[in-house]
Amino acid sequence: MRLGVVDVGSNTVRLVIAERGGEMPLPVYSSKRRLRLAERAAADGRLGRDAVDDLAKAVGKAKQEAADRGVSESFVFATAAVREAPNRQQVLAEVHARTGVHLHVMPGVREAELAFTAARHWMGWRAGPMVLLDIGGGSLEIAVGRGRMPDFAVSLPLGAGRLTREHLNQDVLPDPAALRLVRRRIRHELRDVAARIQWEGPRTAVATSRTFHQLARLCAAGSDSTPPKKESDRLTRRGLKAAVGTLAGLTAPERAQLPGISPARAHQSLAGALIAHTTMRLLHLDQAVLCPWAVREGVLLTALNGNGSTELRPTAPLPQPAAEPAALPASVG
């Protein structure tokens, strides 16, 4: 049996196709299309006509790719960029009308739960009580627990792309005052969560997401800026502190020349490092093990282990948006 997952994120639309391999999904194909939905949204988060057109095309192409490769069922979900759009219902209706796909809006807490499930399968029971950190473009997910599912999960508005857009000018060297403001915002959002995580006393910290993996490669390169021969399997708080200093002294184009930092994510790499370092410091974590699995694999595991699509529905109803105009707005970016 082949299953497909289409993940509509803040930056990209990703398709992953996997086959059942015992209790573990075996990935056989993946593709991605970069849309930068969050950057193209209006100031209030509303997605314009051009962005929705591109989204519908990307979802339609992913649907066709999956069908061409023998996928029996696909799970298509969107995270922060669509979830927070005031015209979310219009966006969903437009995508369905043009592709026949029901785009599921995943609540942030459910995103954290599924990422934790994936990390637990990857790490195994040897990890013991575990805390999961996942930095996305629009949000930061944290989950902690002792079993297959977390005992506590939360989603916070601390994505690398979000904080870059709201506080950091990517075209110039960052203002020290802006960096202090970003750190204050992270501390404010994390205050209560940090107290809960410390009370839980996790034995192992696990970091997933592209942001953490790119920062790990940068940290592993060290001061000589040479890509390491072997990628590290963990990220340290001390290394992140040094990475923040390095990234803060460079413009976005200069950051793109560093080991591990891709040109597409260079503009938000500093915000990502600030989130990662401040979070680990507040949670009293000295290091985190890197995990290649996250929410997409969590969706696959949930489906392949017999829980089916009902487990992928929101655990609580999403708030309904206010009344919306009859048509999508014109392009906003």
Side-chain angles (χ1 to χ4, degrees), residues 42-312:
D44 67 349
R46 189 175 297 268
L47 296 174
R49 168 63 63 182
D50 289 349
V52 177
D53 283 346
D54 289 345
L55 173 58
K57 291 175 184 176
V59 170
K61 289 178 180 178
K63 175 185 176 182
Q64 187 60 53
E65 280 184 308
D68 291 343
R69 287 165 175 78
V71 169
S72 58
E73 187 172 9
S74 292
F75 300 96
V76 188
F77 66 90
T79 54
V82 175
R83 182 168 66 225
E84 298 176 6
N87 61 333
R88 179 180 67 243
Q89 298 301 332
Q90 287 178 285
V91 174
L92 302 181
E94 183 80 3
V95 171
H96 179 256
R98 294 177 53 177
T99 67
V101 172
H102 289 283
L103 181 57
H104 166 70
V105 179
M106 184 175 291
V109 170
R110 187 63 173 141
E111 191 177 347
E113 291 171 347
L114 289 167
F116 182 93
T117 294
R120 173 62 79 190
H121 274 77
W122 181 268
M123 296 295 297
W125 296 112
R126 70 184 184 280
M130 187 179 82
V131 60
L132 180 282
L133 310 176
D134 185 350
I135 301 174
S139 58
L140 164 67
E141 277 68 52
I142 300 177
V144 63
R146 293 165 171 77
R148 293 183 183 275
M149 291 290 292
D151 300 314
F152 171 75
V154 66
S155 179
L156 301 171
L158 295 175
R162 182 195 297 270
L163 296 192
T164 299
R165 292 189 303 274
E166 296 180 1
H167 299 292
L168 301 173
N169 185 339
Q170 64 186 53
D171 298 322
V172 298
L173 285 175
D175 182 352
L179 298 183
R180 290 193 293 271
L181 179 61
V182 171
R183 283 200 184 272
R184 276 202 305 273
R185 176 170 172 180
I186 297 168
R187 289 196 298 267
H188 173 74
E189 294 281 358
L190 277 172
R191 181 179 53 196
D192 294 339
V193 174
R196 172 63 186 266
I197 300 301
Q198 291 171 33
W199 180 82
E200 292 281 353
R203 180 197 304 171
T204 305
V206 181
T208 185
S209 76
R210 197 71 167 170
T211 295
F212 275 116
H213 283 268
Q214 291 201 1
L215 289 171
R217 287 194 288 272
L218 174 62
C219 292
S223 59
D224 60 0
S225 295
T226 301
K229 294 181 179 179
K230 183 178 180 181
E231 183 176 342
S232 174
D233 65 348
R234 63 197 61 234
L235 185 60
T236 67
R237 195 169 84 198
R238 177 178 294 182
L240 279 171
K241 182 178 181 180
V244 169
T246 298
L247 293 167
L250 302 172
T251 62
E254 292 170 334
R255 293 174 204 152
Q257 305 303 313
L258 294 173
I261 305 299
S262 68
R265 292 177 178 266
H267 67 290
Q268 65 183 47
S269 58
L270 173 57
L274 286 167
I275 297 165
H277 178 257
T278 307
T279 299
M280 290 182 67
R281 183 165 61 84
L282 290 177
L283 270 56
H284 295 178
L285 304 174
D286 293 325
Q287 65 177 10
V289 180
L290 295 172
C291 174
W293 282 9
V295 64
R296 290 184 293 274
E297 288 75 17
V299 171
L300 287 169
L301 285 162
T302 300
L304 289 173
N305 288 336
N307 293 325
S309 59
T310 56
E311 283 294 310
L312 306 179

